[in-house]
Structures are given as C-alpha cells and as structure tokens.
Amino acid sequence: MNDAQRPTSYGVFKPVGHVVMAFPTAADSDRASSALIASGFGATDITAHTPAQMLEQAERDVAQAGTLAGLGQELNLVKAHGELARQGSSFLVVRARTREDTATLTQVALHCHASRAQHYGRLVIEELIPVGGSDHQVAESTDRGLDAQTTSGAESARSGGVSR
C-alpha cells in the first residue's frame, strides 16, 4: 500500500478491510510478517512501516484532518500510532478479507508481541488484542483522546497526540 493507495476518511488514515498492528521492535514486526507469509498471506497483502514512516504519516494526517475526522476514532488512532512510532514501534498493515484472516492476524499479533492490533471495518474499528489494564472504557473524543487503557497513556488531543 503506497501513498497513492493509502485509504483515508476525512483526511486521516482509515484502511477499511485491513488490520493495523504495532510492534515494539522491528524484529517483532519482521517475525510477524514471516509468520503471516507462512500462514498463506501474500506479500502484497502486507505493508510494513518503520517508526519514521508511521510518524511522518501520523503528523501529516493530524495536520490535514478534516473537521469530521473527530466523529469516529480514526483521528485518535492516528495520534496513538504516532506516539507508538515515536517510541520506536514498527507497524504492519495487512489486508483481512475474511473473519478467518482476522483470527489468524490476531493470533500472529499475540504470538509476535504486538502492542496494538485493530481491524478497520466500515463502521467499527475493533481492538483485536487486550490493551492496558482492567479499567472500564470511557467515552472517547478528540478533546479527551483515547481511552486510558492505551499502552503509552500519552495519546491525547491536549498534548497534540503527535509531537514534532
């Protein structure tokens, strides 16, 4: 998925029909990519992003986000991805054609130590792996940022979400 193919909604990244996974290290991301290929995913189904690439994309998306981007969670997730990239996380964006694909992606994410994994549907973005502690989720907004259960705890609109 190159920049020309990069799906957006109101100016921010929203890859419907894909799973976005963040890994603490490039080695974890590489292991996950190899596991996905071994599980039958094609190389063209998998797009890898370095921390620098994801941070640049997140900063661009935050800067050009349309007014309506705050209605869903896309903008908050872009900010979270930017924060994780700043901490050195590598990312995989993988096409998930079926529920079975999503189940396989979930297992690979867990096995390869992903810190985040979300399936982007048309209306719902589903968390595939446990995130954070046992706190109950609260209402999220672009003013409040993501739920307190996010791993870094630093994804918020007040901090700008993505530092420059």
Side-chain angles (χ1 to χ4, degrees):
M1 179 181 310
N2 61 36
D3 268 356
Q5 300 168 315
R6 196 172 71 87
T8 61
S9 175
Y10 303 112
V12 297
F13 186 56
K14 184 177 182 184
V16 173
H18 290 74
V19 170
V20 177
M21 298 184 281
F23 297 91
T25 68
D28 290 330
S29 178
D30 292 345
R31 238 182 5 266
S33 185
S34 295
L36 292 169
I37 298 278
S39 297
F41 286 86
T44 59
D45 293 327
I46 304 167
T47 303
H49 295 277
T50 66
Q53 289 169 325
M54 187 57 82
L55 182 58
E56 187 275 329
Q57 177 179 295
E59 288 176 340
R60 185 172 14 131
D61 283 355
V62 168
Q64 69 186 23
T67 307
L68 296 177
L71 293 179
Q73 287 307 306
E74 293 86 355
L75 184 57
N76 285 332
L77 288 172
V78 163
K79 291 176 183 179
H81 294 159
E83 181 61 32
L84 289 167
R86 187 177 304 98
Q87 295 172 15
S89 290
S90 293
F91 293 79
L92 295 178
V93 180
V94 186
R95 178 178 214 96
R97 291 179 175 89
T98 65
R99 290 304 292 166
E100 292 78 20
D101 285 352
T102 303
T104 299
L105 287 161
T106 301
Q107 291 308 309
V108 168
L110 289 167
H111 180 73
C112 295
H113 312 292
S115 55
R116 297 295 295 259
Q118 297 109 1
H119 178 261
Y120 283 71
R122 292 195 197 303
L123 299 175
V124 175
I125 300 171
E126 175 186 8
E127 289 287 350
L128 299 178
I129 61 175
V131 177
S134 60
D135 294 338
H136 292 290
Q137 187 171 2
V138 297
E140 298 169 339
S141 74
T142 54
D143 290 332
R144 293 180 66 182
L146 283 175
D147 188 278
Q149 292 190 24
T150 57
T151 303
S152 73
E155 302 90 356
S156 73
R158 281 183 221 105
S159 67
V162 178
S163 296
R164 297 192 194 280

